[in-house]
């Protein structure tokens, strides 16, 4: 029986980060809405309560019945989770005199408490709350304080309950990973048996049992998720898997040809469909980003459905849906920022059952599984690419001419990122090696490409804007493009990548000189939040 940690989501932006940190400890975890705790599940070895945008005093605040798990398995409350536990069990939570946000240092820490084993004095933590705990329940004791927060952490003397008002999951809490390890491994007793190898073996066996002799259809996108799903399914059922790769005309330059070649080299049974004319016709004159997504999603289903009907006897539709797709789709706040192309797109008239072999994995786990399956590195390290493709990287209406301009500019940018090498050492080098990124070792340093250093990069065509320029002593009036590159762990939050100036200068010069229709290059230095990674 596979052990698991349950993370109850109260709506925090960093709930997925908690999940990522737990998975990094080779421990399976499941993120569930605050009110969906699984009853009578013997595989649950611990529970973590996340932060929340609400105060415990808000009438609409999310609440959970603690008796479902308190006293049965160890519990860790984080931020709102810590305040909710205190408020519910007899402590007191009040509005802070000023919002407690940003870096802080633990002034006192009970390092004998198992939650803080191995901590260093004055360890840096990250606070982010408007309320604060002013009294803890009678059977609890304070185990850490900062200069301004007396109850930075507390523990129960009666039940296995620990609570912290800071966020151990974020990078700025220096020993946050150690705290979570202390809880997950030492307190909850995780055997740390969740790995890429165990996932492949278990999933292949489960797919064989689930699918039997049935035929399966998979929609390929060229990205790492659907590609890994295809190879995993191929290992389980061989040529009973048929893959369909639809070209909507808004892929990167030469991508349809190159990706089809890669899939054939992997031995996959792939049907390639060029439907670009249909997509361009249906997108003509459309400028609203959400409308673009809906048209592309609708047309994709129509094209895919038409091809799928040609495959006799198919009973399953496979998708490369990963865990963040599902968590975002089930956002407990109910607010949609933009529609997701991977979830809920199964047409009822296809009468196919859904198979999602990667539905429990985060993106970097998908890449580790790809390596375990022996896939080529250039497929595994491909940056995320939006389902609607370049349509959401062109501001304004879509035309084949605009797509070609963007393809040419983007090709220069991406090739430049792949060719530019940087040397890393210390913590940066350790982070890159831990992520499995290909690197060359030289005198204690590692050399990697800029492409492998960033999470996602792309070019945006501002086709609704024209700017004045001068080329060959003549006035030009053409479009600007914006280059975008971000660093991230799971795309829930992202920071703009600090690319070298000489690289940006070289790429800018090459784009302006070689791409007709572009006379200005900008670099996007906004982070997520408040911006999204894609412009549309």
């Amino acid at each position: 029986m596979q052990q698991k940690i349950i993370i109850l989501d109260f709506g925090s932006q960093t709930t997925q980060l908690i999940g990522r940190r737990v998975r990094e400890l080779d421990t399976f975890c499941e993120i569930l809405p605050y009110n969906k705790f699984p009853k009578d599940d013997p595989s649950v070895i611990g529970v973590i309560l996340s932060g929340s945008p609400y105060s415990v005093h808000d009438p609409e605040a999310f609440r959970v019945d603690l008796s479902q798990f308190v006293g049965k398995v160890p519990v860790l409350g984080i931020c709102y989770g810590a305040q909710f536990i205190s408020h519910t069990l007899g402590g007191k939570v009040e509005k802070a005199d000023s919002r407690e946000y940003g870096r802080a240092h633990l002034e006192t820490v009970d390092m004998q408490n198992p939650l803080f084993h191995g901590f260093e004095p004055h360890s840096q933590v990250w606070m982010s709350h408007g309320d604060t705990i002013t009294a803890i329940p009678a059977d609890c004791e304070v185990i850490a304080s900062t200069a301004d927060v007396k109850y930075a952490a507390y523990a129960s003397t009666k039940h296995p309950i620990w609570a912290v008002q800071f966020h151990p999951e974020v990078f700025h809490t220096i020993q946050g990973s150690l705290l979570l390890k202390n809880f997950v491994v030492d307190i909850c007793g995780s055997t740390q048996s969740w790995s890429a190898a165990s996932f492949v073996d278990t999933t292949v066996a489960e797919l064989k049992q689930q699918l039997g002799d049935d035929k399966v259809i998979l929609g390929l996108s060229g990205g790492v998720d659907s590609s890994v799903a295809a190879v995993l399914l191929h290992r389980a059922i061989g040529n009973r898997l048929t893959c369909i790769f639809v070209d909507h005309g808004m892929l990167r330059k030469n991508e349809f040809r190159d990706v089809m070649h890669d899939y054939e080299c992997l031995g996959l049974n792939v049907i390639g469909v060029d439907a670009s004319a249909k997509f361009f016709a249906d997108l003509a004159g459309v400028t609203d980003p959400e409308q673009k997504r809906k048209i592309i999603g609708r047309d994709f289903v129509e094209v895919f459905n038409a091809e799928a009907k040609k495959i006799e006897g198919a009973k399953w539709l496979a998708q490369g849906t990963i865990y963040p797709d599902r968590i975002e789709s089930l956002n407990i706040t109910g607010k949609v920022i933009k529609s997701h192309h991977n979830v809920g797109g199964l047409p009822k008239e296809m009468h196919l059952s859904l198979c999602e072999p990667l539905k429990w994995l985060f993106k970097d786990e998908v890449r580790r599984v790809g390596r375990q399956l022996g896939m080529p590195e250039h497929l595994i390290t491909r940056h995320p690419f939006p389902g609607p493709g370049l349509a959401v990287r062109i501001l304004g209406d879509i035309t084949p001419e605009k797509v070609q301009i963007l393809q040419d500019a983007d090709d220069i940018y991406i090739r430049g990122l792949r060719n530019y090498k940087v040397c890393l050492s210390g913590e940066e080098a350790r982070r890159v090696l831990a992520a499995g990124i290909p690197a060359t070792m030289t005198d204690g340093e590692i050399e990697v490409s800029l492409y492998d250093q960033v999470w996602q990069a792309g070019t945006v065509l501002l086709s609704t804007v024209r700017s004045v320029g001068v080329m060959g002593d003549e006035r030009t009036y053409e479009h600007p493009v914006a280059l975008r590159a971000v660093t991230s762990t799971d795309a829930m939050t992202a920071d703009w990548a600090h690319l070298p100036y000489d690289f940006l200068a070289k790429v800018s010069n090459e784009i302006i000189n070689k791409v007709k229709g572009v006379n200005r290059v900008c670099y996007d230095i906004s982070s997520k939040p408040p911006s999204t990674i894609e412009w549309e």
Side-chain angles (χ1 to χ4, degrees), residues 15 73 117 149 153 206 235 247 318 347 365 384-385 390 422 424 433 519 522 533:
T15 300
V73 293
H117 281 175
V149 182
E206 289 175 349
R235 178 167 293 192
D247 180 8
E365 291 175 319
F385 189 66
L390 300 180
V422 292
L424 304 174
L433 291 173
N519 68 352
C522 311
I533 295 177

Side-chain angles (χ1 to χ4, degrees), residues 59-242:
E60 65 271 32
F62 301 133
R63 295 174 174 82
V64 65
D65 179 4
L66 295 177
S67 66
Q68 296 177 92
F69 41 81
V70 165
K72 299 174 184 177
V73 293
V75 178
L76 173 64
I78 295 175
C79 196
Y80 175 89
Q83 294 171 359
F84 178 79
I85 292 171
S86 178
H87 176 72
T88 304
L89 299 183
K92 185 180 289 188
V93 177
E94 298 179 293
K95 189 172 183 62
D97 292 336
S98 61
R99 181 173 169 82
E100 293 166 349
Y101 179 86
R103 293 177 178 82
H105 293 84
L106 299 179
E107 298 293 327
T108 60
V109 181
D110 179 4
M111 285 181 278
Q112 299 305 308
N113 190 284
L115 192 67
F116 287 109
H117 281 175
F119 259 60
E120 298 175 357
H122 309 294
S123 187
Q124 178 181 291
V125 297
W126 184 265
M127 298 285 187
S128 179
H129 52 264
D131 288 352
T132 192
I133 298 170
T134 55
I136 55 178
D139 63 353
C140 293
E141 59 184 8
V142 61
I143 55 175
S145 302
T146 70
D148 300 315
V149 182
K150 180 178 179 180
Y151 302 110
Y154 66 90
S156 171
T157 57
K158 182 180 179 182
H159 297 296
I161 299 174
W162 288 262
V164 297
Q165 287 202 89
F166 54 88
H167 287 269
E169 70 274 21
V170 303
F171 173 79
H172 299 296
T173 296
I174 302 300
Q175 293 186 282
S177 294
L178 175 60
L179 185 148
L180 290 171
K181 178 179 181 294
N182 289 342
F183 177 73
V184 170
V185 179
D186 298 341
I187 294 174
C188 296
S190 168
T191 57
Q192 297 184 279
S193 56
W194 170 260
S195 66
S198 68
F199 175 84
V200 170
D201 292 342
T202 301
T203 304
V204 168
E206 289 175 349
L207 288 170
K208 287 180 177 179
Q209 183 176 14
Q210 177 189 21
L211 303 174
D213 295 328
D214 294 345
K215 291 183 179 179
V216 180
I217 301 170
L218 170 68
L220 285 171
S221 68
V224 62
D225 300 335
S226 64
S227 300
V228 171
V231 174
L232 198 59
L233 278 159
H234 182 72
R235 178 167 293 192
I237 65 171
N239 282 335
R240 291 198 305 280
L241 169 70
T242 300

Side-chain angles (χ1 to χ4, degrees), residues 107-408:
E107 298 293 327
T108 60
V109 181
D110 179 4
M111 285 181 278
Q112 299 305 308
N113 190 284
L115 192 67
F116 287 109
H117 281 175
F119 259 60
E120 298 175 357
H122 309 294
S123 187
Q124 178 181 291
V125 297
W126 184 265
M127 298 285 187
S128 179
H129 52 264
D131 288 352
T132 192
I133 298 170
T134 55
I136 55 178
D139 63 353
C140 293
E141 59 184 8
V142 61
I143 55 175
S145 302
T146 70
D148 300 315
V149 182
K150 180 178 179 180
Y151 302 110
Y154 66 90
S156 171
T157 57
K158 182 180 179 182
H159 297 296
I161 299 174
W162 288 262
V164 297
Q165 287 202 89
F166 54 88
H167 287 269
E169 70 274 21
V170 303
F171 173 79
H172 299 296
T173 296
I174 302 300
Q175 293 186 282
S177 294
L178 175 60
L179 185 148
L180 290 171
K181 178 179 181 294
N182 289 342
F183 177 73
V184 170
V185 179
D186 298 341
I187 294 174
C188 296
S190 168
T191 57
Q192 297 184 279
S193 56
W194 170 260
S195 66
S198 68
F199 175 84
V200 170
D201 292 342
T202 301
T203 304
V204 168
E206 289 175 349
L207 288 170
K208 287 180 177 179
Q209 183 176 14
Q210 177 189 21
L211 303 174
D213 295 328
D214 294 345
K215 291 183 179 179
V216 180
I217 301 170
L218 170 68
L220 285 171
S221 68
V224 62
D225 300 335
S226 64
S227 300
V228 171
V231 174
L232 198 59
L233 278 159
H234 182 72
R235 178 167 293 192
I237 65 171
N239 282 335
R240 291 198 305 280
L241 169 70
T242 300
C243 303
I244 299 173
F245 183 25
V246 177
D247 180 8
H248 50 39
M250 289 153 285
L251 300 173
R252 285 190 166 120
K253 188 173 183 177
N254 300 324
E255 185 169 22
F256 186 68
R257 180 199 66 194
D258 295 344
V259 171
M260 282 294 292
H261 175 73
D262 285 334
Y263 287 150
E264 289 165 4
C265 290
L266 287 169
L268 298 177
N269 178 24
V270 186
I271 298 171
V273 183
D274 181 0
S276 54
K278 173 180 175 58
F279 283 86
F280 280 124
D282 290 349
L283 286 167
V286 177
T287 59
D288 178 72
E290 191 64 13
Q291 190 65 17
K292 289 182 192 176
R293 288 177 177 271
K294 288 179 179 178
I295 290 170
I296 291 170
R298 181 200 68 201
D299 282 6
F300 176 86
V301 168
E302 288 179 6
V303 173
F304 185 88
N305 195 14
E307 287 298 321
K309 285 180 178 178
K310 300 175 185 177
I311 302 167
E312 295 183 3
K315 294 183 178 179
W316 296 84
L317 175 68
Q319 290 187 160
T321 310
I322 64 175
Y323 201 31
D325 298 338
R326 298 166 63 228
I327 298 171
E328 287 187 71
S329 305
L330 299 173
N331 188 315
I332 59 177
T333 65
K335 297 176 181 177
V336 176
I337 295 174
K338 59 185 178 183
S339 57
H340 200 284
H341 65 277
N342 234 21
V343 180
L346 178 64
K348 292 180 181 178
E349 66 270 18
M350 289 183 72
H351 304 296
L352 298 177
S353 300
L354 190 60
C355 176
E356 298 175 308
L358 307 180
K359 65 183 179 181
W360 293 111
L361 299 186
F362 289 94
K363 178 70 77 173
D364 56 332
E365 291 175 319
V366 174
R367 291 193 168 106
R368 283 202 286 270
V369 168
R371 292 188 178 98
Q372 185 67 32
L373 290 166
M375 292 174 62
E377 197 64 35
H378 71 271
L379 268 180
I380 295 168
T381 57
R382 281 173 63 91
H383 287 176
F385 189 66
L390 300 180
V392 293
R393 292 181 180 174
I394 296 175
L395 274 61
D397 66 325
I398 309 298
T399 66
E401 293 74 23
K402 290 179 181 178
V403 170
Q404 184 173 346
I405 290 172
L406 184 52
Q407 284 176 332
D408 291 342

